[in-house]
Amino acid sequence: MACYAALLHQPPASPSPCTSGRAGSCRVRPPPLLQRRAPPLSARARISPRCSYAAAGGSAGAGAGEQPAAALRRVLETPGAHQAPACYDALSARLVERAGFRACFTSGFSISAARLGLPDVGLISYGEMIDQGRLITEAVSIPVIGDADNGYGNCMNVKRTVKGFINAGFAGIILEDQVSPKACGHTQGRKVVSREEAIMHIKAAVDARKESGSDIVIVARTDSRQALSLDEALWRARAFADAGADVLFIDALASREEMMAFCAVSPGVPKMANMLEGGGKTPILSPLELEEIGYKIIAYPLSLIGVSMRAMEDVLVAIKGGRIPPPSSLPSFEEIKDTLGFNRYYEEEKRYVASPAQSSFGSGNYDYTTEASSSGDTKSRTEKSQEPIIDILPQLYDPGSAGGRGPSSGMWSRTLRLKITGRDGVQKIDARIPAGFLEGMTKVIPGLAGTNIMERLRNAPMDSDNPQNGQILLDFEDGMGDRIQVFIA
């Protein structure tokens, strides 16, 4: 305990010049390995590799045209400690945004649980995290900080991971110093890489950011508090700040005093708190308490996945018992549709509605269920849709050919006229077809099944002076309410 007591109450034994480049931050001179500094924040590129953010209606996050990292930096620069629940898929991220939070995290623990149904022990891969992250960032307009575990390998892997997270639309990235396979910070078996390797990982991340022309926020996490000691965790946090990290994070701190000692390190650099719900090693404090200690951003990693698991378990028990969830325990269907954006989709879809006068049959995209918006609209469209009759497979068989079909061959090739009029009065099909072709369609057109077209055609008199006499063979409404008529053509 003497280590953090000294940090809180005593000045350094041998003060040295300020080396951080950040206002209000004066640090002990770092070892030679850390002398090479990252460029100042103002010199970093602020160009997003993806399209700019479009502010969602009612969102408290990014402004119109603002880049993800810029939006997150703006949040970090505003007063107070900012809460950021951890999501695990696009839907949970959207719910975080709708609740009014200005940022959110992705939780590797929760994504591993939701995507794989497996524990957070290093089983989920870089590719799976990138894939899930891209879906999440595309679903919201608030900045998202992505959990990148230990960078998935050595420094070259870390660089690839940072660039991948930038391209996936993340505003920030969390990199930890655990060995592979990594483990959840509040579970057993944590081991960390050496000091030198951990620092080089952060330097590689900073280099990847520069090379990408991005300003992604780098959150440097150490798990050395539980793996080694508090002294080691405090040393690494300070070294990560000197290597260019934007936010510092010591996981699994065990007391309020330890949290205060951490926030005293590199005071010019924001600190992240992890409020592991349900029984972690770190005390659960209120946002106000955390702000007073010195934290800037607060993660809640298990709330959404935890309550989702419990709610699903409860409803499955109810269903198995022959019941359904009570109305108070789930949103209405209309509320679900609103959350998912059905109404916004329908409004936008109206911009691309094709004119009903365009023949769908000729394009091979016959719409059998189109409905008119109003009776007046139906009348005007019906008047405009008088198109010429289409000939389909005309004279497919020659009645007098040697390859005819026996006694019915001539009858089979007689021309019929098929007309289908929608229940809204709009003409859908008006086409000439061989009788035998329609005979084959009796098996697929509702209402024609079982109809003997050939028998009706034989019994229909034919006027030799006027073969296109328009005599009706069939006239009925199908199950959709459309009128189907077949004439002798």
Side-chain angles (χ1 to χ4, degrees):
M1 295 295 181
C3 58
Y4 57 79
L7 282 170
L8 288 173
H9 304 296
Q10 298 180 14
S14 54
S16 58
C18 183
T19 60
S20 68
R22 291 182 174 89
S25 174
C26 192
R27 303 188 182 97
V28 177
R29 184 178 299 277
L33 182 64
L34 303 180
Q35 290 295 328
R36 183 180 179 183
R37 293 288 302 154
L41 182 61
S42 60
R44 294 176 190 155
R46 290 180 178 268
I47 301 173
S48 172
R50 308 177 75 217
C51 61
S52 62
Y53 267 77
S59 170
E66 190 172 27
Q67 308 302 323
L72 178 57
R73 291 184 184 278
R74 177 169 54 84
V75 171
L76 294 174
E77 290 167 1
T78 55
H82 303 285
Q83 297 171 288
C87 64
Y88 54 88
D89 61 8
L91 176 58
S92 58
R94 179 167 293 179
L95 292 173
V96 170
E97 180 177 28
R98 281 171 61 90
F101 291 96
R102 302 182 64 186
C104 72
F105 287 89
T106 64
S107 163
F109 185 103
S110 300
I111 291 177
S112 182
R115 187 178 175 103
L116 305 181
L118 294 173
D120 183 25
V121 289
L123 296 174
I124 197 163
S125 68
Y126 159 82
E128 289 167 318
M129 292 293 281
I130 284 287
D131 181 59
Q132 195 82 343
R134 182 175 291 108
L135 296 176
I136 289 171
T137 61
E138 289 176 352
V140 296
S141 63
I142 58 175
V144 182
I145 303 172
D147 184 353
D149 293 335
N150 56 7
Y152 308 101
N154 62 15
C155 287
M156 299 306 293
N157 292 104
V158 169
K159 293 186 70 174
R160 179 184 182 231
T161 297
V162 172
K163 293 177 180 180
F165 272 55
I166 292 170
N167 290 330
F170 283 103
I173 182 171
I174 304 175
L175 292 165
E176 61 195 49
D177 58 359
Q178 288 195 51
V179 300
S180 295
K182 58 91 63 186
C184 169
H186 291 251
T187 58
Q188 62 184 12
R190 260 91 35 69
K191 296 180 180 179
V192 293
V193 299
S194 68
R195 286 181 172 184
E196 292 75 18
E197 185 176 355
I199 295 167
M200 283 300 177
H201 282 189
I202 300 304
K203 294 177 71 68
V206 171
D207 289 344
R209 175 172 62 190
K210 295 177 189 174
E211 293 166 9
S212 299
S214 168
D215 199 23
I216 190 171
V217 174
I218 297 174
V219 182
R221 161 180 162 174
T222 178
D223 286 76
S224 55
R225 167 61 188 95
Q226 297 298 324
L228 297 172
S229 67
L230 177 62
D231 283 342
E232 180 66 18
L234 296 173
W235 190 95
R236 291 189 183 214
R238 185 182 298 107
F240 292 162
D242 287 322
D246 301 294
V247 178
L248 303 178
F249 171 28
I250 298 179
D251 200 18
L253 291 171
S255 68
R256 181 189 291 262
E257 289 75 21
E258 291 187 3
M259 298 165 77
M260 294 174 66
F262 167 46
C263 289
V265 170
S266 302
V269 185
K271 309 300 189 303
M272 169 183 161
N274 188 31
M275 297 288 96
L276 188 83
E277 312 89 322
K281 297 182 180 298
T282 303
I284 302 297
L285 305 179
S286 70
L288 182 58
E289 291 175 305
L290 292 170
E291 180 183 357
E292 290 174 348
I293 290 174
Y295 285 99
K296 175 55 67 174
I297 191 164
I298 310 164
Y300 298 86
L302 298 184
S303 290
L304 295 186
I305 190 69
V307 298
S308 298
M309 292 170 64
R310 177 55 56 83
M312 287 188 283
E313 289 172 344
D314 290 345
V315 75
L316 290 171
V317 170
I319 293 174
K320 191 172 183 181
R323 297 172 286 113
I324 62 172
S328 61
S329 67
L330 79 167
S332 67
F333 184 47
E334 289 302 319
E335 290 173 325
I336 292 173
K337 290 193 298 181
D338 183 60
T339 298
L340 297 177
F342 273 85
N343 294 331
R344 293 191 299 275
Y345 173 88
Y346 292 144
E347 286 299 316
E348 185 175 355
E349 185 185 33
K350 292 177 182 178
R351 296 166 51 191
Y352 307 105
V353 174
S355 170
Q358 297 176 352
S359 173
S360 298
F361 188 87
S363 65
N365 293 318
Y366 166 52
D367 182 1
Y368 203 65
T369 59
T370 302
E371 298 185 12
S373 59
S374 66
S375 58
D377 189 41
T378 298
K379 181 178 178 180
S380 63
R381 287 188 292 168
T382 304
E383 293 172 351
K384 295 178 181 178
S385 61
Q386 301 301 322
E387 298 184 350
I389 302 172
I390 303 171
D391 283 316
I392 301 178
L393 305 177
Q395 299 299 320
L396 187 62
Y397 288 86
D398 182 358
S401 69
R405 298 165 61 94
S408 299
S409 60
M411 195 73 68
W412 195 96
S413 62
R414 285 181 64 177
T415 302
L416 301 178
R417 179 181 175 187
L418 172 65
K419 185 177 180 181
I420 299 179
T421 306
R423 60 183 177 181
D424 52 11
V426 176
Q427 185 174 292
K428 295 185 173 182
I429 292 180
D430 193 350
R432 291 190 179 96
I433 60 177
F437 182 68
L438 184 59
E439 182 185 29
M441 294 174 67
T442 59
K443 297 181 179 180
V444 295
I445 296 181
L448 287 182
T451 302
N452 193 329
I453 294 293
M454 305 312 294
E455 184 66 26
R456 295 194 180 201
L457 192 57
R458 288 191 193 96
N459 296 332
M462 182 173 180
D463 185 351
S464 59
D465 295 329
N466 184 21
Q468 295 184 351
N469 54 20
Q471 180 176 341
I472 294 179
L473 290 181
L474 294 173
D475 189 349
F476 65 94
E477 287 190 0
D478 68 359
M480 304 292 295
D482 294 343
R483 185 180 184 185
I484 299 178
Q485 298 170 292
V486 179
F487 307 84
I488 294 177

